[in-house]
């Protein structure tokens, strides 16, 4: 038997020596498999981003300084083949998360070694992997010793010069950058592409508050027109004497140029009652500001404190206003402005801080009949604030939920006597009285409960 093959068929000849030999056509039992099409590079990038868990809003395990996660390390994707490595390597360095000083030293040494071996003959503008890094996340890098702080400051000062496409810079608040390091950040190449700046440590107010351009953070903001998120943590005002506050000269300099931040939509300034940065932001237009988180200092009058005046100035278009005091020792809370509903007429989520303010709907210059707030957050339930809230409910027709940030519903199986005592009793009272108006009471986990028996409850999302 002989086999004759063609371009698309196979013939079987059982008797090839016969003069007239029959032929049998060989048919496949299964259909011919179509060869896979080549995927575009953009599709491979999306696949690798999913595998590496590179989503910025939900980052995966850090690149350096952690143990191997379950299911294999992300480095394994670089060891499959050379072609896959060429595509995955830039994505691997895209979001750098550093968790220890040793990892930061290795990371800096790797980038500097690559930068020293780079030359312009390759027709590539910047060295790799420095040009691949777009996010530098140091939020998990704690700094407890002064020697470590100096070392971190020195490493960051050198790193800023070789990260031209950095768009997100997240620092741990325990790390205080020196003036040379902050200046290196403002002078680095590609600083205009920076979009997110978090964890920066602010300075105490001083009598030279109007020397705005001498503040390093102000110098950074002047060259970051694409900035969308800013977070600054100050040292607090524990050293201020409220009986004899310092007298500051807040006359705006004649040569002052307002900051140009047209895209800034999220601003967080904590433990800062007054600073050159806050003064510059106060006198600059922020047309896109929608989310504001500040520490209230209404007890400290203007001009010693600029916070209440800042809310009055930039609260017109806010959608989320969060008043928050960091829980650090020594801990002291100051009051909040009672005119928040008047100065922020478009807020949908209002988060208050203790002591809860006596919210008013009228003032000497303005008054409102209704407010569009939908979610109201408070630290813990308070009977006096409940009475106030019931009085102003007719002016809050859109209110759907009240959340207690520091309280949680007890688990199922607690006795009825325990449910009526303390915070749980207050929560149940809030639920009973506000439930008549269709308002839900949520705990710290954004959950509510439904009664299932005389002594039990069931938590429900």
């Amino acid at each position: 038997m002989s086999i004759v093959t063609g371009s698309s068929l196979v013939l079987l000849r059982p008797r090839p020596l016969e003069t007239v030999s029959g032929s049998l056509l060989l048919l496949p039992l299964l259909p011919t498999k179509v060869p896979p099409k080549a995927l575009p590079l953009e599709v491979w990038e999306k696949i690798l981003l999913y595998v590496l868990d590179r989503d910025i809003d939900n980052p995966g395990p850090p690149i350096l300084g952690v143990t191997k996660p379950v299911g294999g390390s992300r480095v394994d994707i670089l060891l499959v083949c050379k072609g896959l490595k060429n595509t995955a390597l830039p994505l691997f360095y895209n979001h750098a998360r550093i968790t220890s000083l040793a990892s930061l030293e290795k990371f800096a040494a790797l980038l500097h070694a690559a930068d020293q071996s780079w030359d312009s003959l390759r027709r590539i503008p910047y060295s790799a992997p420095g040009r691949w890094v777009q996010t530098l996340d140091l939020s998990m890098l704690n700094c407890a010793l002064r020697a470590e702080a100096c070392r971190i400051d020195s490493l960051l000062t050198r790193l800023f010069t070789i990260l031209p496409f950095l768009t997100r810079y997240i620092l741990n608040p325990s790390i205080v950058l020196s003036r040379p390091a902050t200046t290196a950040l403002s002078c680095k190449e590609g600083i205009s592409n920076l979009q997110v700046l978090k964890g920066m440590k602010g300075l105490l107010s001083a009598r030279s508050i109007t020397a705005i351009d001498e503040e390093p953070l102000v110098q950074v903001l002047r060259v970051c027109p694409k900035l969308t998120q800013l977070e600054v943590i100050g040292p607090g005002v524990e050293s201020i004497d409220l009986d004899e506050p310092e007298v500051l000269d807040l006359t705006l300099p004649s040569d002052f140029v307002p900051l140009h931040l047209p895209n800034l939509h999220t601003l967080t300034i904590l433990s800062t009652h007054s600073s050159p940065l806050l003064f510059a932001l106060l006198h600059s237009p922020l047309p896109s500001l929608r989310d504001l988180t500040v520490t209230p200092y209404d007890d400290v009058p203007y001009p010693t404190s600029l916070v209440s005046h800042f809310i009055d100035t930039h609260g017109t278009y806010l959608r989320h206003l969060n008043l928050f005091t960091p829980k650090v020792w020594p801990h002291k809370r100051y009051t909040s402005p009672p005119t928040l509903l008047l100065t922020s007429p478009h807020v949908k989520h209002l988060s208050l801080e203790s002591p809860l303010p006596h919210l008013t709907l009228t003032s000497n210059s303005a008054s409102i009949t209704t407010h569009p707030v939908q979610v109201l957050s408070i630290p813990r339930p308070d009977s006096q604030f409940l009475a106030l809230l019931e009085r102003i409910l007719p002016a809050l027709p859109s209110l759907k939920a009240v959340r207690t940030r520091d309280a949680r519903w007890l688990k199922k199986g607690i006795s009825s006597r325990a449910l009526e005592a303390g915070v749980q009793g207050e929560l149940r009272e809030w639920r009973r009285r506000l439930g008549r108006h269709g308002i839900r009471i949520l705990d710290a986990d954004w959950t509510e409960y439904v009664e299932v028996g005389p002594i039990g409850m069931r938590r429900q999302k």
Side-chain angles (χ1 to χ4, degrees), residues 48 58 117 255 401:
L48 294 175
N58 184 22
S117 61
D255 58 346

Side-chain angles (χ1 to χ4, degrees), residues 120-141:
S120 58
L121 296 178
R122 302 178 184 179
R123 299 178 182 272
I124 298 175
Y126 305 99
S127 62
R131 68 172 182 267
W132 296 334
V133 179
Q134 297 185 13
T135 300
L136 183 60
D137 189 352
L138 307 178
S139 58
M140 302 299 294
L141 179 59

Side-chain angles (χ1 to χ4, degrees), residues 1-317:
M1 181 179 64
S2 64
I3 300 177
V4 180
T5 60
S7 59
S8 60
L9 52 86
V10 177
L11 298 177
L12 299 179
R13 293 181 178 178
R15 296 183 297 171
L17 300 179
E18 292 290 337
T19 304
V20 180
S21 175
S23 300
L24 301 176
L25 179 63
L26 181 63
L27 299 176
L29 298 178
L30 298 176
T32 305
K33 185 177 180 180
V34 179
K37 297 182 179 180
L39 293 178
L41 181 61
E42 293 79 5
V43 177
W44 275 113
E45 287 183 354
K46 292 183 178 180
I47 295 174
L48 294 175
L49 282 173
Y50 176 78
V51 174
L52 296 173
D53 194 14
R54 307 298 290 162
D55 190 2
I56 298 299
D57 297 328
N58 184 22
I63 292 178
L64 301 172
V66 296
T67 57
K68 185 175 182 180
V70 178
S73 173
R74 296 189 303 164
V75 183
D76 295 342
I77 197 69
L78 307 177
L79 306 178
V80 177
C81 63
K82 185 177 181 179
L84 194 61
K85 178 182 177 181
N86 295 335
T87 305
L89 197 59
L91 304 177
F92 184 81
Y93 283 95
N94 185 17
H95 182 71
R97 298 181 65 202
I98 312 298
T99 60
S100 65
L101 178 58
S103 300
L104 181 61
E105 292 177 343
K106 295 178 182 178
F107 183 71
L110 175 65
L111 265 61
H112 281 289
D115 186 70
Q116 291 177 357
S117 61
W118 169 83
D119 58 83
S120 58
L121 296 178
R122 302 178 184 179
R123 299 178 182 272
I124 298 175
Y126 305 99
S127 62
R131 68 172 182 267
W132 296 334
V133 179
Q134 297 185 13
T135 300
L136 183 60
D137 189 352
L138 307 178
S139 58
M140 302 299 294
L141 179 59
N142 292 319
C143 179
L145 302 177
R146 182 176 179 83
E148 294 181 353
C150 295
R151 182 57 179 163
I152 293 175
D153 189 86
S154 175
L155 291 173
L156 293 178
T157 303
R158 297 182 59 198
L159 271 177
F160 290 148
T161 60
I162 54 177
L163 301 178
F165 299 113
L166 189 66
T167 60
R168 297 171 61 93
Y169 177 50
I170 305 174
L171 192 64
N172 192 298
S174 63
I175 303 174
V176 181
L177 290 184
S178 63
R179 182 177 292 270
T182 310
T183 304
L185 176 63
S186 62
C187 297
K188 86 174 193 67
E189 187 143 7
I191 185 59
S192 60
N193 297 321
L194 191 65
Q195 300 179 8
V196 177
L197 182 61
K198 292 184 177 182
M200 298 297 291
K201 196 71 173 179
L203 300 176
L204 276 171
S205 62
R207 297 186 183 275
S208 60
I209 188 174
T210 54
I212 299 175
D213 290 329
E214 297 180 4
E215 169 64 28
L217 280 179
V218 176
Q219 297 175 5
V220 174
L221 297 186
R222 286 200 179 279
V223 291
C224 298
K226 298 181 181 179
L227 197 67
T228 60
Q229 300 180 40
L230 175 63
E231 181 186 72
V232 180
I233 293 89
V237 295
E238 285 72 18
S239 60
I240 284 185
D241 186 3
L242 295 181
D243 296 330
E244 297 181 0
E246 57 181 346
V247 179
L248 300 177
D249 182 14
L250 296 184
T251 304
L252 195 64
S254 58
D255 58 346
F256 172 73
V257 178
L259 300 178
H260 181 61
L261 301 172
N263 302 315
L264 183 65
H265 59 74
T266 302
L267 176 62
T268 300
I269 300 181
L270 300 178
S271 301
T272 304
H273 69 287
S274 180
S275 68
L277 174 63
L278 187 59
F279 186 73
L281 292 173
L282 177 63
H283 295 87
S284 300
L286 303 176
S288 301
L289 186 61
R290 298 295 181 268
D291 191 330
L292 176 62
T293 302
V294 294
T295 301
Y297 293 105
D298 201 55
D299 288 348
V300 185
Y302 180 85
T304 303
S305 174
L306 305 176
V307 175
S308 298
H309 189 44
F310 187 87
I311 298 176
D312 297 344
T313 303
H314 296 292
T316 305
Y317 300 105

